[in-house]
Amino acid sequence: MSSASFYIIRHAETIWNAQRRLQGRIDIELSETGIEQCLARRPDALKIEPDVICCSPLIRAKRSAELLFDVPETDFVIEPLFTERSFGRYEGWINSDVGPGILHRTNPLFDGEESYEVAERFRRGLEKQAELHPGQKIAVVSHGASILLFFRSISDRYGDYRLYPIANCSIHLVKYDAGRFSEPEEIL
């Protein structure tokens, strides 16, 4: 089994983040605030000195990776397994308009991904990158819901997202060794 150190980064703010809208797979650009967030966090991101930079195929993640690491898109790996959770027909809705239990298959109208499916997909993406780049430092630029659901699958601490939110441009270290993931640790 391979080992790797993952620096998991949530993309910077978009206008829809500021409006508290479910983005899901809708491709939304960074806002001016998001660009400023990336530039402010760039020194911290560059301290990581990753061997590999991976990111979701969505523009908000790709643009964040470019700005955080000061590299063109051609210098990183686009990994679909790191894309955001599909919220199905609820994409674009204001978070507060989506009540408890709406984003689950127990709701006959829900046509998105279940939480466990997102966590498993994200896990497969990390394991794939660990196999491709054993022993290396890997930066992963992804999305809030996908990161949170993966963290919940490996740590009890992230059960209440209000206590441990995944902020835009936050950086968490997760180590992988012998098929096991460490507790996520917010760094920098």
Side-chain angles (χ1 to χ4, degrees):
M1 296 227 140
S2 297
S3 65
S5 295
F6 292 102
Y7 293 84
I8 301 175
I9 304 166
R10 182 179 178 196
H11 66 78
E13 184 188 83
T14 68
I15 290 172
W16 278 24
N17 287 136
Q19 294 172 346
R20 313 267 313 136
R21 290 187 181 276
L22 293 174
Q23 295 176 96
R25 304 281 174 86
I26 296 175
D27 221 0
I28 308 294
E29 285 278 354
L30 296 180
S31 65
E32 286 301 315
T33 298
I35 292 168
E36 292 169 10
Q37 287 173 338
C38 286
L39 296 176
R41 289 293 279 177
R42 181 183 285 169
D44 296 328
L46 291 175
K47 285 179 194 171
I48 295 169
E49 297 181 342
D51 299 300
V52 179
I53 301 168
C54 299
C55 82
S56 155
L58 296 175
I59 191 68
R60 56 193 182 268
K62 292 190 298 188
R63 186 74 175 124
S64 293
E66 289 173 335
L67 291 168
L68 286 166
F69 294 102
D70 198 20
V71 296
E73 183 179 331
T74 55
D75 286 4
F76 50 82
V77 176
I78 303 296
E79 178 52 73
L81 294 170
F82 297 136
T83 198
E84 180 58 299
R85 178 185 188 180
S86 167
F87 294 108
R89 72 182 73 230
Y90 296 101
E91 291 181 359
W93 283 41
I94 302 290
N95 289 2
S96 60
D97 292 342
V98 180
I102 297 290
L103 300 178
H104 300 285
R105 292 219 175 102
T106 54
N107 168 8
L109 297 177
F110 182 61
D111 56 349
E113 282 180 287
E114 285 285 353
S115 299
Y116 72 89
E117 293 170 324
V118 178
E120 181 56 32
R121 173 173 50 77
F122 201 92
R123 173 187 295 272
R124 285 194 323 271
L126 295 177
E127 290 171 342
K128 174 183 173 183
Q129 294 306 316
E131 288 295 321
L132 292 172
H133 311 286
Q136 296 192 339
K137 291 192 291 186
I138 304 169
V140 175
V141 183
S142 188
H143 306 273
S146 293
I147 294 169
L148 178 63
L149 293 169
F150 170 69
F151 285 179
R152 282 183 180 170
S153 77
I154 63 171
S155 170
D156 293 334
R157 184 173 63 182
Y158 289 88
D160 187 343
Y161 66 90
R162 293 166 297 188
L163 296 176
Y164 296 98
I166 309 297
N168 291 109
C169 275
S170 61
I171 303 172
H172 290 79
L173 173 62
V174 174
K175 294 184 180 182
Y176 178 74
D177 189 35
R180 298 181 58 92
F181 290 96
S182 71
E183 181 83 13
E185 173 188 354
E186 188 164 7
I187 61 165
L188 306 172

